[in-house]
Amino acid sequence: MRFDVVTIFPETFPGVLESGLSGQALINRTIEIYCHNPRDFTSDKHRSVDDAPFGGGAGMLMKPAPLFECIEHMGQPRPFVVLLSPQGIPFNQKLARSFVDQYDRIAFICGRYEGVDERVRTNLVDMDVSIGDFVLSGGEIAAMAIIETLTRLIPGVVGNQESLTHESLENNLLKYPQYTRPRNYRGLKVPDVLLSGNHALIDKWRQEQSRLRTQTRRPDLFTCNQMNKNDKYPIASDGANDGEKNKESE
Ligand code: ADE
């Protein structure tokens, strides 16, 4: 899969993507990342990519010409073009899966300043995406987060595919609590069920914990699940096992 990143800070890439699984994917060329600087598509002596908004107001906007020309320079067929901005549709695991299933080349436009000229959004961009309800200084970190998420979904990148299905938010569930050795750390004990060797019981416990955790921490996801009910196990009624409230019972 190929990623083209439009950024005025190309030196920030690959950044954290050079480490771990994505680093390995870069070495194997399972993924490729190319940066394009919109300043290379300017003609003034300051190579300026921003200008003041018509109508007044605070801050500067990214001008349309360097962004249009930068994307056009990528040739045909054009990549799928994503604009990173807090106004975008929320990125999640489902959207990540749909990107990996549909596209083998995606361009990310990393906005800076107060945003981009609206004509970029309406005439150049295929999808406006946000990684959350907070404001970064630019789209670079958002692009890295998305590239890492997509890379993990490319077959062969994560060794144990089972770990993908269990961790995934594609089923709108948060992961159950997990423990490793020792069984007793400073009096904090691993739940007996996990030491029981009874895998049917462990499975049931994990599903219940996932549901409880989702219900308390992410009622928005939980409501979604209630709407497409295909649950195997009923929700435990007391909710007492929830993480922070009762460490022993986890
Ligand atoms: N640029 C600035 N904030 C952002 C966000 N939350 N998501 C994506 N791009 C951004």
Side-chain angles (χ1 to χ4, degrees):
M1 195 163 185
R2 170 176 171 143
F3 303 108
D4 291 272
V5 183
V6 177
T7 170
I8 58 168
F9 297 118
E11 70 281 2
T12 59
F13 281 82
V16 71
L17 297 170
E18 210 165 15
S19 305
L21 288 175
S22 48
Q24 202 52 49
L26 277 167
I27 290 170
N28 303 335
R29 308 198 76 179
T30 305
I31 61 167
E32 294 179 314
I33 301 175
Y34 294 89
C35 286
H36 310 262
N37 192 339
R39 289 196 197 283
D40 296 338
F41 299 87
T42 55
S43 43
D44 62 308
K45 93 167 181 255
H46 300 294
R47 301 184 359 122
S48 62
V49 291
D50 61 319
D51 210 334
F54 281 121
M60 302 288 268
L61 296 179
M62 290 189 89
K63 301 198 289 188
L67 296 177
F68 270 81
E69 286 172 35
C70 191
I71 294 287
E72 281 156 11
H73 184 75
M74 292 176 194
Q76 294 291 338
R78 227 180 60 139
F80 183 74
V81 180
V82 170
L83 172 69
L84 282 330
S85 92
Q87 284 80 42
I89 69 162
F91 184 67
N92 61 25
Q93 199 67 25
K94 265 200 193 85
L95 189 58
R97 174 72 69 184
S98 82
F99 281 176
V100 171
D101 289 346
Q102 287 179 81
Y103 309 114
D104 54 16
R105 186 176 176 193
I106 301 179
F108 294 102
I109 299 180
C110 302
R112 280 268 154 186
Y113 311 108
E114 292 305 307
V116 300
D117 183 288
E118 189 62 17
R119 290 164 291 187
V120 170
R121 188 173 266 119
T122 52
N123 290 75
L124 185 65
V125 163
D126 296 306
M127 193 183 281
D128 193 356
V129 174
S130 162
I131 61 160
D133 291 337
F134 44 82
V135 181
L136 299 164
S137 300
E140 285 78 6
I141 289 174
M144 286 182 199
I146 294 177
I147 291 171
E148 178 152 302
T149 308
L150 302 188
T151 301
R152 293 172 55 77
L153 293 174
I154 299 172
V157 170
V158 172
N160 178 359
Q161 286 295 305
E162 208 198 337
S163 63
L164 269 184
T165 43
H166 276 281
E167 80 183 349
S168 88
L169 280 159
E170 282 170 70
N171 52 11
N172 282 332
L173 282 172
L174 302 183
K175 190 151 191 162
Y176 47 79
Q178 300 185 96
Y179 299 84
T180 184
R181 275 186 278 267
R183 289 169 179 231
N184 184 338
Y185 177 66
R186 297 185 177 180
L188 302 169
K189 295 193 184 109
V190 173
D192 288 340
V193 61
L194 297 178
L195 311 173
S196 69
N198 181 337
H199 287 285
L201 214 59
I202 292 171
D203 235 35
K204 181 172 184 292
W205 182 86
R206 286 179 168 162
Q207 289 195 39
E208 281 172 359
Q209 291 294 316
S210 265
R211 290 161 52 94
L212 281 167
R213 197 164 250 198
T214 311
Q215 189 175 22
T216 47
R217 296 182 186 182
R218 293 294 304 276
D220 55 321
L221 290 182
F222 191 75
T223 311
C224 256
N225 289 345
Q226 291 297 88
M227 290 191 294
N228 9 287
K229 256 194 190 311
N230 57 354
D231 312 297
K232 243 161 112 191
Y233 299 105
I235 307 159
S237 56
D238 60 9
N241 288 344
D242 189 52
E244 275 59 55
K245 288 189 211 111
N246 185 348
K247 289 207 168 70
E248 277 257 337
S249 69
E250 281 203 35

